Amino acid sequence: MFNLFLAVFPEIFIINATFILLIHGVVFSTSKKYDYPPLVSNVGWLGLLSVLITLLLLAAGAPLLTIAHLFWNNLFRRDNLTYFCQILLLLSTAGTISMCFDFFEQERFDAFEFIVLILLSTCSMLFMISAYDLISMYLAIELQSLCFYVMAASKRKSEFSTEAGLKYLILGAFSSGILLFGCSMIYGSTGATHFDQLAKILTGYEITGARSSGIFMGILFIAVGFLFKITAVPFHMWAPDIYEGSPTPVTAFLSIAPKISIFANILRLFIYGSYGATLQQIFFFCSIASMILGALAAMAQTKVKRLLAYSSIGHVGYICIGFSCGTIEGIQSLLIGIFIYVFMTIDAFAIVLALRQTRVKYLADLGALAKTNPILAITFSITMFSYAGIPPLAGFCSKFYLFFAALGCGAYFLASVGVVTSVIGCFYYIRLVKIMFFDTPRTWILYEPMDRDKSLLLAMISSFITLFFLYPSPLFSVTHQMALSSYL
């Protein structure tokens, strides 16, 4: 029992920390004695501290994970996959919070609830990663989505932000409904919601070849709900508008954190429970469609955030390759892909936030950045080259491993589409570099120096992206353990 308490201690800690921060913010920001102070930076630093303490608690609980634990009435499961996905999620949350502080000052943004919402959605995603039952999975997804709806509309003076929040609310509620409908159909057909029981029932169906339209439709609806949440084509239509309208830190968080937790959930439910030919075909199609649309639509974009939105859709296509394989190598390559994608995206959005001081919105505004701020231009170029998959950067390693997994399971068409779309993708990533280094802008913009926390973040992540190829084996061995634990 004590061991199980230790296993959920990180989640218990971060929930308590979030509520304490909420009370702290409410009490002090409305206090006449302290002259109604703006508390957003204060709460931000405390939030960052609580995320880092949660990380330490997770790392301290690692020795308990030699075998998988089921706890809380078997609603949650702790194993290697849970542990590493949660660590990656907390790192991305810490990265997102640490690049917000300058944004708060620039935009005079003083709603401390923003940080509380980030922490609450992180709590729900921690539960989502370890969810081992359809009910706990759905509740965690809903809590996460509710926080995101408010965060997307958190810039109250901007009509773009309000529009983004409203669009996300309507379309997100629609996708949650589809997901819940799928869960209810599976429960109606099998009488089970626990992943272990579902695995036994569905394996029986696979072996005997019996057909149940209820189970088939349930799995289909759940897959559609998940694909909507990770912005895979053809369920991507909400992403570009919401990414562009939301405040930039929210866009960064939206394009990183939910993908980690949803992919962990997909692996839990589908690979362990019910991976059949139908699912493979769905993910095969979505992977190809996302890669093609991500590459072609991004070529027409003129705004930085929309370009990053389509780039994120393309990357989801690449990551789905790993899932379409259905092999251990495929899952391992998927996990490597997510890990590297998270760091590249934090890097890209930190740079966009550093350029926000001068209202950089269009790609043309980046003209001659190399002359006015050479270090920022070089960092952005490294990130773009890594996105494009140019060796020896980290992005190349992830694509290389994903394509090899596809070739290993005989999906030659998938790998060839991936290679072709990577080449097309190079065009718009390298066009960005060309604008920064060789174009002359209509109006010259002088950039102010970056704040310290963003410069530290960019320095660490850029060196990771550049030097990853020298020593990739720790990540490979860790992801191999995770892939194995999703089967065992």
Side-chain angles (χ1 to χ4, degrees):
M1 182 63 211
F2 182 65
N3 264 8
L4 293 189
F5 174 73
L6 275 183
V8 280
F9 191 58
E11 282 96 330
I12 293 171
F13 172 79
I14 198 166
I15 289 173
N16 287 327
T18 309
F19 286 130
I20 289 166
L21 282 180
L22 180 60
I23 294 163
H24 162 74
V26 170
V27 169
F28 282 96
S29 64
T30 54
S31 115
K32 197 173 180 182
K33 182 184 171 188
Y34 294 103
D35 199 21
Y36 309 111
L39 282 177
V40 66
S41 289
N42 182 331
V43 173
W45 282 112
L46 290 170
L48 184 58
L49 183 67
S50 49
V51 169
L52 294 175
I53 293 173
T54 313
L55 246 175
L56 288 174
L57 291 172
L58 253 180
L64 303 171
L65 298 176
T66 42
I67 52 165
H69 290 295
L70 288 175
F71 55 92
W72 284 358
N73 205 7
N74 293 349
L75 288 179
F76 297 99
R77 173 184 163 111
R78 265 268 185 276
D79 57 12
N80 278 331
L81 180 72
T82 315
Y83 170 65
F84 291 117
C85 285
Q86 287 185 339
I87 280 190
L88 183 56
L89 174 70
L90 288 168
L91 283 173
S92 60
T93 307
T96 312
I97 295 177
S98 64
M99 60 178 153
C100 290
F101 297 112
D102 193 44
F103 169 82
F104 295 147
E105 282 175 33
Q106 295 290 331
E107 302 283 332
R108 294 189 168 74
F109 185 89
D110 59 352
F112 70 89
E113 297 90 348
F114 179 78
I115 298 290
V116 172
L117 285 168
I118 284 187
L119 290 177
L120 263 180
S121 56
T122 306
C123 298
S124 61
M125 284 185 276
L126 289 175
F127 280 121
M128 200 162 129
I129 289 169
S130 53
Y132 206 58
D133 191 287
L134 290 176
I135 299 169
S136 56
M137 175 191 86
Y138 181 74
L139 288 174
I141 287 176
E142 271 313 283
L143 174 57
Q144 168 221 331
S145 304
L146 287 171
C147 296
F148 282 151
Y149 303 150
V150 183
M151 276 158 65
S154 60
K155 209 166 154 192
R156 277 167 258 167
K157 295 190 183 77
S158 152
E159 63 270 29
F160 289 117
S161 179
T162 316
E163 180 199 2
L166 193 60
K167 274 182 182 169
Y168 195 21
L169 171 66
I170 293 165
L171 291 166
F174 179 65
S175 81
S176 295
I178 290 176
L179 191 67
L180 189 58
F181 186 55
C183 295
S184 64
M185 286 189 85
I186 283 189
Y187 178 64
S189 307
T190 60
T193 56
H194 191 253
F195 290 178
D196 260 347
Q197 296 164 335
L198 286 175
K200 287 166 190 160
I201 294 167
L202 295 165
T203 311
Y205 272 107
E206 290 282 321
I207 293 167
T208 55
R211 285 273 167 208
S212 157
S213 53
I215 290 180
F216 172 74
M217 291 303 288
I219 288 175
L220 190 67
F221 276 115
I222 289 181
V224 167
F226 277 153
L227 288 166
F228 187 97
K229 298 276 185 202
I230 56 171
T231 69
V233 176
F235 312 103
H236 67 287
M237 57 289 184
W238 59 276
D241 288 345
I242 287 162
Y243 280 23
E244 189 194 357
S246 305
T248 313
V250 178
T251 311
F253 196 54
L254 270 179
S255 56
I256 300 164
K259 292 190 176 62
I260 302 170
S261 50
I262 296 274
F263 270 117
N265 244 322
I266 290 177
L267 290 179
R268 278 251 187 279
L269 177 57
F270 290 150
I271 289 286
Y272 180 70
S274 55
Y275 192 79
T278 319
L279 260 181
Q280 189 164 13
Q281 285 155 9
I282 294 170
F283 277 90
F284 195 89
F285 165 73
C286 287
S287 174
I288 288 173
S290 303
M291 289 190 290
I292 292 172
L293 186 121
L296 297 179
M299 290 167 76
Q301 300 309 314
T302 53
K303 293 180 179 173
V304 180
K305 274 163 83 174
R306 281 185 91 85
L307 176 81
L308 287 172
Y310 280 108
S311 153
S312 144
I313 291 169
H315 273 273
V316 165
Y318 293 122
I319 293 170
C320 281
I321 290 178
F323 195 79
S324 312
C325 298
T327 57
I328 287 191
E329 286 78 25
I331 295 172
Q332 187 181 352
S333 64
L334 177 146
L335 293 164
I336 291 171
I338 290 177
F339 189 86
I340 291 172
Y341 163 79
V342 162
F343 284 107
M344 292 192 302
T345 311
I346 291 177
D347 212 21
F349 278 104
I351 293 167
V352 171
L353 269 169
L355 299 170
R356 285 282 302 167
Q357 300 166 338
T358 42
R359 294 268 180 269
V360 168
K361 189 176 178 184
Y362 293 92
L363 296 178
D365 297 343
L366 292 168
L369 179 64
K371 292 188 180 67
T372 50
N373 196 334
I375 292 180
L376 199 56
I378 289 167
T379 316
F380 207 4
S381 308
I382 288 172
T383 312
M384 288 300 121
F385 282 139
S386 180
Y387 262 144
I390 289 173
L393 300 170
F396 166 74
C397 299
S398 76
K399 281 185 181 176
F400 175 83
Y401 212 69
L402 282 159
F403 297 155
F404 259 74
L407 292 173
C409 77
Y412 301 115
F413 181 63
L414 200 57
S416 52
V417 168
V419 171
V420 171
T421 49
S422 287
V423 173
I424 297 171
C426 282
F427 165 75
Y428 55 84
Y429 291 129
I430 294 173
R431 184 185 65 178
L432 234 167
V433 177
K434 181 218 122 190
I435 289 171
M436 289 191 291
F437 281 85
F438 303 110
D439 283 13
T440 45
R442 287 192 298 274
T443 53
W444 284 80
I445 300 171
L446 286 174
Y447 294 96
E448 297 165 29
M450 215 189 307
D451 56 316
R452 189 178 297 150
D453 20 270
K454 263 211 289 293
S455 5
L456 275 170
L457 187 70
L458 282 173
M460 289 191 295
I461 296 178
S462 304
S463 33
F464 167 76
I465 290 173
T466 320
L467 305 174
F468 173 74
F469 76 101
L470 292 175
Y471 191 46
S473 51
L475 181 62
F476 286 176
S477 61
V478 160
T479 46
H480 190 66
Q481 282 177 345
M482 291 162 74
L484 284 174
S485 76
S486 66
Y487 277 97
L488 299 175

